[in-house]
């Protein structure tokens, strides 16, 4: 492969990692039945918190911890609002988004465009020398490695472990989960907060790694993208991560390759292309077309493929929890 | 295990669902719990199974008082309950559904658990496919799985809340045989909540009857049905003989009509129903009768053939057009398709009378109150539909039928209803029939089909196999026919 393409692939992976982390976090939360709509505000606020903490302490670890704390707190407010105060998750999340956006602009005034610490590259010996794969996957930094491991771990956790079963049941049919002894309320709190902490880490991954520094509206819009990709990914971390890669890759390829030939003016239109591509994939995957293709397959193959394509949201997503 | 309930009381707001009820259950016996709709049967059983707490009163197992904080607590103490709707997880596989709530390590031992589950199924005579999805199974199969789960969880008292609504006669036979052997061979105590007196007489040793939240009496079984009915309702509801009138001009006609679903494709079917006629569709669940009924309502497209409403051919009939043409469809899944969970009765009235942009709250409240009175629903206009007992949901759903219906298509119109309510529903349908509506219904109760229809259409494996006048057949013959007999 062309060295140029390898560089692009490595950069796509780096650019994708914060979104992948956020998507995994939100997927966990939504699987438990809590939709945390504050993502966009959370990312901004935690990006700022991460930057400021790391800036003053010169410790990246403290930066990420502060960001995780901020993200977890935002999620806790959404969960508390819905589970204890019985408010709509969507409403609380939406208000928090607006709040996070304005608050980060206000609090971040004195921190714009300051030089801060950033995450160093950490090539993995031996593995980094594998042709093609080495430079793409193993010549990265800890944030990228973390995002990849996170996808594997959350996918395994959700679909192949006993706690994962409980997690999904709380989002699908809380009454049934309760009847089987699942502590639905506690579980929803935990996963919402865990998901929020991951979103916070994603925020810091921007300000300390992928888009180093802080400026007003630093990550604006990316939270909505993550929310959309959770749906696109059918509430599976693996599919979500692929969605992120598809999204970031089309955007990079477009800007790198096409911009050269077409010039600046077309950028705006081209930015919409990843979305169109995603819509296209959704229609093809979820629509009648795939059902027709599927029905031609031998019966033994239909089930696994259908399982792969089937992407219904957790049935009790965002629903109020009734007292048993 | 000896189970005692002591002075159990429970209210929901102003409704006192249970009033100081005391009952005792001995090991090795099968008990029937009877009572009209809203008598408080499900409420009492949910308390016994730990799903909800009582306001006051005690539960004693072998003399020891218990405090159940969840159904799992209750199951650990040996009390398991099969709910009116199986409390399972539709998108899960059978195996995952079985494993949820069982203790064990972090990873799921799929292979071992699948073997365990198959073995368990074999022991109780159920066929189990661990990797199928719950949502692809029939109601009967889902109940069997719940039963297996409870048994493997160590249940010694099994409560079954209307387990035979919605399952076929064959599945019922299977279920009853397992229940009998559970009581006889394993000494388990069983409680069967049911409206079907014949079933209770056939299966149970003793019956308790609830009325308006109180214990009305008990009886050793078998005993005359009359006695049970007397305990349930106070007096015997009388049932006028139904005249069988001549059918009028055709309201519905199918010519070579076929419908397709992912699981089944029906054979081309010819069928005619006239004004004032009642046609009963008989067949095992999933034999194609539901598909045709839904196609007539415009809910499914015809894969082939033609459909005529009052003599007018309908190409690509959709549900809204069908409604405008006076076709009305009563779904079996009340909360899934018929009623909107979370909405109050008044809001439902506003939904069916969309007059302009704004909801006229006062008017829809008045209409709801009117329907509640007319259809004897135990509720208030601002009750949410999911708070109603099953029978009351059905009554209210019926109240939403507009008065000008030409063709009424009903799936299981009396599923889960007590005797008096079913009679009442059929009284209502009869009124509509006299006014010239044609009625097509399907039911899993052969008795109901025989008694209520003018003609019966029998379905087997996607094919309309026979159409017979109801007067010329019997339960035995029908049972034979729906099982594929010639
Ligand atoms: N969660 C609830 N909230 C409010 N009211 C309730 C609730 N559950 C039950 N009720 C009311 O309590 C009464 C008894 O209901 P229950 O479900 O126990 O009746 P049932 O005997 O099981 O009737 P059916 O035969 O129709 O199932 C009804 O009037 C019902 O409306
Ligand atoms: Mg009930």
């Amino acid at each position: 492969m062309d060295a140029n393409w390898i560089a692009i692939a490595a950069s796509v992976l780096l650019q994708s990692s914060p979104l992948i982390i956020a998507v995994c976090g939100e997927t966990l939360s939504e699987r438990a039945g809590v939709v945390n709509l504050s993502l966009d505000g959370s990312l901004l606020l935690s990006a700022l918190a991460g930057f400021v903490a790391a800036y003053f302490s010169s410790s990246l670890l403290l930066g990420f911890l502060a960001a995780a704390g901020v993200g977890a707190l935002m999620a806790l407010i959404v969960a508390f609002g819905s589970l204890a105060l019985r408010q709509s998750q969507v409403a609380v999340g939406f208000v928090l988004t607006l709040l996070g956006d304005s608050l980060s602009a206000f609090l971040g005034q004195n921190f714009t465009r300051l030089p801060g610490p950033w995450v160093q590259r950490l090539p993995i010996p031996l593995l980094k020398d594998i042709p093609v794969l080495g430079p793409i996957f193993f010549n990265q930094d800890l944030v990228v490695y973390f995002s990849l491991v996170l996808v594997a771990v959350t996918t395994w956790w959700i679909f192949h472990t006993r706690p994962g079963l409980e997690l999904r049941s709380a989002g699908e049919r809380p009454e049934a989960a309760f009847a089987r002894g699942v502590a639905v309320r506690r579980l929803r709190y935990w996963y919402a907060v865990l998901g929020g902490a991951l979103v916070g880490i994603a925020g810091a991954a921007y300000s300390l790694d992928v888009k180093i520094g802080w400026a007003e509206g630093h990550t604006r819009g990316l939270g909505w993208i993550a929310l959309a990709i959770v749906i696109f990914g059918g509430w599976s971390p693996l599919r979500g991560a692929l969605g992120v890669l598809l999204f970031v890759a089309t955007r990079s390829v477009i800007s790198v390759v096409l911009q050269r030939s077409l010039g600046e003016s077309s950028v705006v239109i081209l930015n919409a292309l990843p979305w169109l591509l995603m819509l296209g994939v959704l229609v093809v995957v979820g629509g009648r077309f795939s059902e027709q293709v599927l029905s031609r397959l031998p019966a033994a193959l239909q089930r696994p493929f259908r399982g792969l394509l089937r992407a219904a949201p957790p049935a009790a997503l965002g629903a109020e929890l009734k007292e048993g | 295990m000896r189970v005692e309930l002591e002075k159990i009381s429970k209210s929901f707001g102003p409704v006192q669902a249970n009033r100081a009820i005391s009952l005792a259950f001995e090991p090795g016996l099968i008990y029937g719990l009877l009572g009209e709709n809203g008598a408080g049967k499900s409420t009492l059983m949910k308390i016994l199974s730990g799903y909800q707490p009582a306001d006051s009163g005690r539960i004693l197992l072998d003399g020891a008082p218990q405090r159940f904080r969840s159904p799992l607590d209750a199951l650990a103490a040996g009390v398991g309950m099969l709910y009116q709707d199986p409390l399972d997880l539709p998108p899960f596989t059978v195996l995952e559904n079985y494993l949820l709530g069982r203790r064990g390590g972090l990873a799921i031992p799929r292979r071992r658990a699948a073997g365990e589950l198959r073995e368990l199924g074999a022991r109780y005579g159920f066929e189990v496919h661990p990797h199928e999805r719950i949502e692809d199974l029939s109601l009967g199969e889902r109940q069997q799985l719940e039963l297996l789960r409870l048994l493997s969880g160590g249940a010694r008292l099994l409560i079954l809340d209307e387990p035979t609504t919605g399952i076929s006669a064959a599945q019922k036979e299977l279920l009853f045989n397992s229940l009998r052997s559970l009581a006889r061979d394993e000494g388990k105590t069983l409680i069967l909540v049911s409206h079907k007196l014949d079933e209770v007489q056939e299966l149970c040793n003793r019956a308790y009857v609830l009325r308006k939240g109180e214990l009305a009496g008990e009886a050793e079984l078998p005993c005359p049905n009359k006695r049970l009915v007397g305990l349930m309702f106070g007096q015997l509801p009388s049932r006028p003989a139904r005249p069988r009138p001549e059918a009028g001009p055709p309201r519905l006609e199918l010519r070579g009509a076929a419908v397709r679903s992912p699981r089944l494709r029906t054979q081309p079917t010819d069928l005619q129903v006239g004004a004032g006629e009642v046609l009963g569709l008989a067949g095992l669940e999933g034999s194609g009768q539901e598909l045709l009924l839904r196609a007539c309502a415009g809910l499914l497209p015809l894969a082939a053939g033609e459909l005529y409403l009052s003599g007018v051919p309908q190409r690509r009939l959709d549900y809204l057009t069908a409604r405008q043409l006076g076709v009305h469809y009563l779904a079996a899944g009340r909360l899934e398709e018929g009623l909107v969970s979370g909405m109050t009765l008044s809001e439902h009235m506003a939904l069916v009378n969309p007059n302009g942009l704004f909801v006229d709250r006062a008017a829809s409240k008045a209409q709801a109150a009117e329907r509640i009175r007319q259809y004897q629903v135990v509720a208030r206009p601002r009750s949410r539909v999911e708070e109603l007992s099953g029978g009351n949901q059905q009554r209210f759903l019926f109240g939403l039928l507009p008065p000008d219906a030409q063709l009424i298509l009903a799936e299981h119109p009396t599923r889960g209803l007590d005797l008096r309510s079913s009679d009442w529903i059929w009284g209502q349908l009869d009124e509509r029939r006299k006014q010239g509506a044609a009625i097509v219904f399907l039911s899993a109760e052969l008795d109901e089909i025989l008694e209520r229809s003018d003609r019966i259409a029998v379905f087997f494996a996607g094919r309309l196999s026979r159409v017979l006048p109801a007067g010329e057949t019997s339960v035995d013959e029908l049972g034979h026919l729906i099982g594929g007999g010639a």
Side-chain angles (χ1 to χ4, degrees), chain A residues 159 162 168 173 179-180 310, chain B residues 86 88 97 105-106 110 135:
Chain A
F159 297 107
R162 213 175 282 271
R168 282 185 285 146
R173 210 173 160 196
R180 317 289 180 93
R310 176 164 1 202
Chain B
D88 52 13
N97 180 63
L106 181 64
R110 280 181 198 273
E135 61 200 354

Side-chain angles (χ1 to χ4, degrees), chain A residues 225-299:
Chain A
I225 292 176
L227 279 165
I229 291 178
V230 170
I231 299 171
F232 175 83
W235 293 269
S236 142
L238 186 58
R239 277 178 52 174
L242 292 177
V244 172
L245 289 172
L246 179 71
F247 180 83
V248 175
T250 29
R251 211 168 53 174
S252 314
V253 168
I254 288 161
S255 55
V256 173
V257 180
L258 298 185
Q259 205 172 305
R260 259 183 246 152
S261 45
L262 296 176
E264 281 292 329
S265 63
S266 50
V267 171
V268 181
I269 299 169
L270 292 177
N271 268 341
L273 214 67
W275 293 110
L276 292 178
L277 189 70
M278 267 199 196
L279 266 180
V281 173
L282 268 185
V283 168
V284 170
V285 166
R288 237 172 232 202
F289 175 73
S290 73
E291 201 39 55
Q292 274 170 7
V293 173
L294 274 177
S295 60
R296 302 250 157 80
L297 290 176

